[in-house]
Amino acid sequence: MGWDALRQWDEDVARVEPLTGGVANDVWSVRVDGHLAVARLGSRSAADLTWETALLQYLDRAGLSVPVPIPTRDGRLFADGLVVMTYLPGGPPETRADWRRVAGTLRDLHRLTQGWPQRPGWRSSTDLLHAEVGTRINLAAMPPEGVARCRAAWARLAGRQTCVVHGDPNPRNVRMTAGQVALIDWDESHVDVPDLDLVLPNNAAGLGSDAYDVAAQASAAWEAAVCWDDEYAVKRLAEVRAV
């Protein structure tokens, strides 16, 4: 059905302009009932979208600033691969103090989601020590030597507590105002080791040197695997030390 599915929210809904989003989705600002919102069209399964929308509702109720799914006229949180969410104002983090606030928000996310079930079809970094495939990751497509390096990096996380990680806390996915830090674009969120979210500019999360090295290596390995084999993935794999 594509963008025609928007009529399930409002007969007079209108797309306003395209927004930058993940490579897997088409993202637009829209007007629903006269209010600015964000619509994301993709090919994720119903189980995947059920997991994501339930998470966002839970985090909103817990006090985090996140995009909240707007129901269709008959009460569904998504329809035909389309999700419509509240628009969050703000700009990207710019200073060290800004990034410290981001780190605090990420740690709130991690604290609130300990024991959360895995996103359907996904694997954590430590799951991939033994599995080869998980949603956007297919280790069989990577060079064996690269897989060995990635797995060596992830093995350093083995045995740690897991929770929901945002998965992509780059400046484009943070909306800051004086009073709030909002995290947007939860398309990469899944259950994993929290330090993967905390490789931030200027070590704003305050990780010790060893902890930062473990997290940075595991994060580079994850991004290489999830993006393989574009130029960025090749660059990130080069940052993962040889076994």
Side-chain angles (χ1 to χ4, degrees):
M1 182 174 287
W3 285 105
D4 289 342
L6 272 174
R7 289 199 294 267
Q8 299 182 64
W9 276 263
D10 177 7
E11 282 294 341
D12 298 322
V13 67
R15 282 193 285 171
V16 179
E17 62 180 352
L19 303 174
T20 56
V23 296
N25 300 291
D26 193 9
V27 184
W28 283 68
S29 60
V30 297
R31 288 201 176 275
V32 179
D33 294 328
H35 300 288
L36 191 63
V38 175
R40 189 189 77 199
L41 180 64
S43 58
R44 290 286 174 84
S45 69
D48 184 287
L49 294 177
T50 296
W51 184 95
E52 182 183 350
T53 53
L55 172 68
L56 292 174
Q57 287 184 317
Y58 166 75
L59 294 175
D60 173 62
R61 292 193 299 266
L64 266 62
S65 296
V66 297
V68 181
I70 299 171
T72 62
R73 287 178 292 175
D74 62 1
R76 290 172 293 155
L77 297 181
F78 57 88
D80 301 305
L82 183 64
V83 185
V84 179
M85 297 165 281
T86 53
Y87 172 81
L88 291 167
E94 297 177 345
T95 67
R96 176 172 288 187
D98 287 346
W99 279 109
R100 283 198 293 266
R101 290 174 63 198
V102 174
T105 298
L106 288 165
R107 285 195 163 110
D108 287 341
L109 162 67
H110 303 156
R111 172 180 53 83
L112 289 165
T113 57
Q114 292 177 14
W116 202 264
Q118 183 60 278
R119 191 170 193 154
W122 283 70
R123 299 287 185 270
S124 70
S125 54
T126 52
D127 289 336
L128 291 169
L129 295 175
H130 308 288
E132 282 203 333
V133 177
T135 303
R136 290 182 56 198
I137 289 178
N138 180 5
L139 296 182
M142 297 180 69
E145 183 269 343
V147 173
R149 284 158 57 195
C150 289
R151 282 178 163 161
W154 297 329
R156 299 169 75 191
L157 302 174
R160 300 195 186 190
Q161 188 173 51
T162 60
C163 58
V164 172
V165 296
H166 177 274
D168 192 15
N170 71 71
R172 297 184 304 277
N173 290 336
V174 182
R175 293 286 181 269
M176 301 193 69
T177 65
Q180 74 175 23
V181 177
L183 298 173
I184 65 171
D185 191 357
W186 290 76
D187 195 50
E188 299 294 321
S189 59
H190 63 285
V191 170
D192 216 316
V193 175
D195 283 11
L196 290 172
D197 265 349
L198 299 178
V199 185
L200 302 175
N202 302 307
N203 191 18
L207 300 179
S209 58
D210 288 344
Y212 186 87
D213 181 69
V214 170
Q217 285 286 291
S219 177
W222 178 269
E223 292 188 357
V226 83
C227 297
W228 195 261
D229 59 353
D230 64 16
E231 183 177 343
Y232 178 74
V234 172
K235 175 184 176 184
R236 291 297 271 156
L237 182 59
E239 298 170 18
V240 182
R241 289 192 294 272
V243 179

